[in-house]
Amino acid sequence: MTRAPVHAHEHAGPTGRRRSLRALAPQAAVLGGVVAGTLVVAFRDDPSEPGHYPGCPFLALTGFYCPGCGMTRLVYALTHGHVGVAFGFNPLLFVMLPVFAYLYVRWTVRTAQGLPMRSALLRPAVAYSFVGLLVVYWIVRNLPFAHALAP
């Protein structure tokens, strides 16, 4: 009789479980940071009111919006159930949130399975396209005709 191969994630006993949990430490740290940041923004004062949060340093230095401008207000609006308002603060980030969630879940599941992170979204062509989109978004949201993209 031949035995089926044993994969790294199939180790029985506490040593294998500890190794699996240790492998998920980066995911736990990312999740903890996102949850902590979201809770701080959700339960503090409205970031639309001046004086409650530090402003964007790029905006303060240049007078132009960066691709992340409006992010804190977006999180605040989402945590208070104002989806349309959240979209208006940073449309690109709003649209990218499900993509980031998908990549996080995929990373976590593949790590738990003992597999390296792979996704078509992480291929160089896609990554370079996203960087290009980010640069175009950064420029366009500062043009006079694109008020809808300004936070």
Side-chain angles (χ1 to χ4, degrees), residues 8-75:
H9 64 281
E10 295 177 349
H11 285 306
T15 305
R17 280 189 214 106
R18 264 188 249 123
R19 191 175 307 130
S20 294
L21 290 175
R22 199 173 311 128
L24 292 172
Q27 288 86 345
V30 168
L31 182 61
V34 169
V35 168
T38 301
L39 289 173
V40 166
V41 171
F43 292 110
R44 285 198 59 194
D45 295 321
D46 184 353
S48 296
E49 297 173 14
H52 297 293
Y53 293 89
C56 173
F58 184 80
L59 178 63
L61 290 172
T62 66
F64 295 110
Y65 299 118
C66 75
C69 278
M71 193 166 47
T72 307
R73 289 175 283 170
L74 176 144
V75 171

Side-chain angles (χ1 to χ4, degrees), residues 104-130:
Y104 174 81
V105 169
R106 184 167 175 86
W107 176 42
T108 303
V109 168
R110 289 190 60 90
T111 301
Q113 294 171 338
L115 300 170
M117 174 57 180
R118 291 201 175 109
S119 173
L121 296 175
L122 299 177
R123 291 193 175 138
V126 177
Y128 292 136
S129 296
F130 177 70

Side-chain angles (χ1 to χ4, degrees), residues 3-4 6-7 14 16 34 36 43 48 51-52 69 80 89 91 96 99 103 115 118 130-132 137 140 151:
R3 292 177 51 185
V6 177
H7 298 286
V34 169
F43 292 110
S48 296
H52 297 293
C69 278
H80 289 86
F89 285 131
M96 293 302 299
V99 176
L103 287 171
L115 300 170
R118 291 201 175 109
F130 177 70
V131 170
Y137 176 72
V140 171

